[in-house]
Amino acid sequence: MTGLGRWHVGPWTARGSLAGEPFEPAVKRTPDELNFDVVGLSRILGRRQSLPEEMLMRRCQGALRPTDPRPCGVETLPAELAGELAALASLAFAWIAERAPAGYRFVLTDAVELEPDPSSSVVPVESVSLGLPVGRVAAAHVRRSAAGDWYAGDAVCNWSGPHATADDAVDAVRRARAELVEELRAAGRSDLAETADRWPTVPVEPV
């Protein structure tokens, strides 16, 4: 796998307690369980394991999941096995991080999370919209309907329109982007608002 075709901002694994933190059974994974999930995520995304890695994961699975169903946030591994799993999880996360879509980055905190990369030369609008309603129009592309009207929307929905011309629809998206900048600042995310000069131009589908 060379890249991700679909993604979402936010956690890609369950959250786990960090080393030294008290466990939260049924709420967060233990550190060993989180490492197990990181490796599992890399497999889901296409990383192939070597035979020794596969055998290690089977040993860890037997220790971490002795019953099914089971509460999370309880099981741990012996120190030596935990160290081997942590090393594999580090390799797996590095593999995941290399495959972050353009304008995004994966980080490992108490979960594997995808977040916008403010240092990127091009920052996707949808990556910084924080779920704000205005973000739907701000991230929209412009297309013409069969009836000849112009709309701003995504692959599923029209979020603005009908408009008489493509320029009118583009202007609606630009106004939404300006509003999004102000809402991001009001939400205390000036770091995201300052990426506005690196948002892509409003895409217009050819007629």
Side-chain angles (χ1 to χ4, degrees), residues 6 13 16 33 56-57 61-62 90 160 189 204:
R6 299 180 65 185
T13 65
E33 290 171 333
L56 172 62
M57 288 295 287
Q61 183 174 22
S90 179
S160 177
R189 295 305 306 268
V204 180

Side-chain angles (χ1 to χ4, degrees), residues 10 49 56 77 87 104 127 193:
Q49 291 183 337
L56 172 62
L77 297 172
Y104 298 79
S127 75

Side-chain angles (χ1 to χ4, degrees), residues 1-88:
M1 180 175 179
T2 58
L4 303 178
R6 299 180 65 185
W7 55 87
H8 66 271
V9 173
W12 283 48
T13 65
R15 298 198 178 278
S17 301
L18 300 179
E21 291 183 343
F23 292 170
E24 299 182 50
V27 177
K28 287 186 174 183
R29 302 283 202 256
T30 64
D32 294 336
E33 290 171 333
L34 177 57
N35 284 333
F36 188 89
D37 284 358
V38 172
V39 178
L41 175 61
S42 73
R43 293 185 63 186
I44 292 171
L45 297 181
R47 182 180 183 272
R48 292 188 176 184
Q49 291 183 337
S50 66
L51 180 58
E53 290 174 345
E54 178 67 29
M55 296 306 296
L56 172 62
M57 288 295 287
R58 291 187 180 186
R59 290 165 60 202
C60 293
Q61 183 174 22
L64 293 174
R65 300 182 175 178
T67 60
D68 189 17
R70 64 176 181 88
C72 72
V74 176
E75 304 295 339
T76 60
L77 297 172
E80 182 176 353
L81 189 56
E84 293 181 36
L85 178 59
L88 178 55

Side-chain angles (χ1 to χ4, degrees), residues 172-186:
V173 176
R174 288 173 176 164
R175 288 193 299 271
R177 290 185 176 191
E179 185 178 346
L180 177 60
V181 168
E182 296 306 314
E183 292 193 14
L184 288 172
R185 287 175 177 156

